[in-house]
Amino acid sequence: MAVSGEQRSVRDGVRDLLRGLPVFAGELPDFDPGAAPGDPAELFLEWFTTALDGGVAEPHAMTVATVDEAGEPSARVVIMKDFTPEGWWFATTTGSRKGRDLARNPNVALLFYWNGQGRQVRVRGRAELASPEQCAADYLARPLESRVAGLHGRQSEPLADPADVDRTAVEDRGRLERDPDLVPEDWGLYLVRPTEVEFWQADRDRRHTRLRYARTGTDAPWEQGLLWP
């Protein structure tokens, strides 16, 4: 069904528009769960490399979901900063909403979606704040404008005037020019140690393949099992 650009009313909904959009239109890769390694870290690296080599845009972008003190969830897309045998790494200020959420409740969920390959990787685990030395090293390795933004310290706070962002950036850039080794005290690097990792491979006939790795603790052995689509 062709999708037109005609004006639509929110009151009418977009159900018909959505039904006309293609799903899993690209060439989907093969996935044999019977040949999967015993450690999900190995399979994640294989899938990530395939996404990178296949030209998937920003394959290192991942959704991070946290919950606040009332148990209400928040989700946002961040950039994976590293991936090691211990887990997934990302950075933010400890005073941001996600930083405050993680200080109260370190349980976290991650999601990677690689469009065009019909693949998702879903992760559940606990986030740990890295050492001050590791946090500082992550900050200092960032491009200048990323470090400038990291100095603002106001993420998610109300903004009265958009021009305040530019003014603050000029001030913070000057601070870094005067002190290139400056690191904000609230810069945080987080490691997510997984307790569950699911690999989801799409199928055009909706017979999706889902392979889950689970363990009872971050030091326990992994167990594998298939899930119904």
Side-chain angles (χ1 to χ4, degrees):
M1 176 188 299
V3 178
S4 69
E6 65 185 66
Q7 188 71 26
R8 288 180 172 81
S9 169
V10 174
R11 183 175 301 173
D12 296 333
V14 295
R15 182 174 58 184
D16 292 340
L17 173 64
L18 294 175
R19 287 178 174 174
L21 296 176
V23 180
F24 310 132
E27 187 68 27
L28 301 178
D30 295 327
F31 175 45
D32 177 9
D39 189 334
E42 296 181 28
L43 186 54
F44 177 82
L45 188 58
E46 177 186 327
W47 276 31
F48 178 77
T49 302
T50 300
L52 186 64
D53 294 343
V56 173
E58 299 178 347
H60 55 336
M62 64 183 187
T63 299
V64 177
T66 59
V67 294
D68 64 14
E69 68 276 9
E72 297 183 355
S74 293
R76 72 290 285 169
V77 177
V78 304
I79 296 299
M80 178 177 67
K81 302 308 297 181
D82 199 1
F83 176 66
T84 64
E86 294 79 20
W88 290 261
W89 300 74
F90 69 93
T92 186
T93 55
T94 57
S96 65
R97 173 177 288 184
K98 53 186 171 295
R100 297 194 305 270
D101 286 352
L102 293 172
R104 288 185 290 258
N105 185 345
N107 292 312
V108 64
L110 310 178
L111 173 65
F112 291 85
Y113 174 60
W114 292 316
N115 189 29
Q117 297 186 341
R119 284 182 165 178
Q120 298 182 64
V121 179
R122 305 173 62 201
V123 180
R124 298 177 69 187
R126 293 176 67 85
E128 300 176 2
L129 183 62
S131 69
E133 294 77 15
Q134 289 173 303
C135 293
D138 174 81
Y139 179 82
L140 292 173
R142 289 171 169 263
L144 174 61
E145 292 306 317
S146 178
R147 284 183 286 137
V148 169
L151 281 178
H152 299 346
R154 303 178 188 178
Q155 191 177 85
S156 300
E157 292 184 5
L159 176 64
D161 183 357
D164 289 342
V165 177
D166 294 331
R167 285 191 289 266
T168 301
V170 171
E171 295 172 1
D172 289 337
R173 193 177 299 109
R175 294 171 63 191
L176 288 174
E177 290 173 351
R178 293 187 296 272
D179 184 2
D181 295 326
L182 177 63
V183 176
E185 295 182 357
D186 63 349
W187 189 255
L189 177 67
Y190 292 86
L191 164 65
V192 177
R193 295 184 183 272
T195 55
E196 182 178 320
V197 186
E198 179 189 330
F199 295 85
W200 189 96
Q201 175 63 67
D203 178 82
R204 288 188 181 84
D205 295 327
R206 305 304 190 268
R207 298 173 185 175
H208 313 307
T209 300
R210 300 175 60 187
L211 175 64
R212 180 177 62 183
Y213 293 77
R215 59 185 179 182
T216 56
T218 55
D219 295 324
W222 289 104
E223 297 183 1
Q224 294 183 32
L226 295 174
L227 300 175
W228 272 80

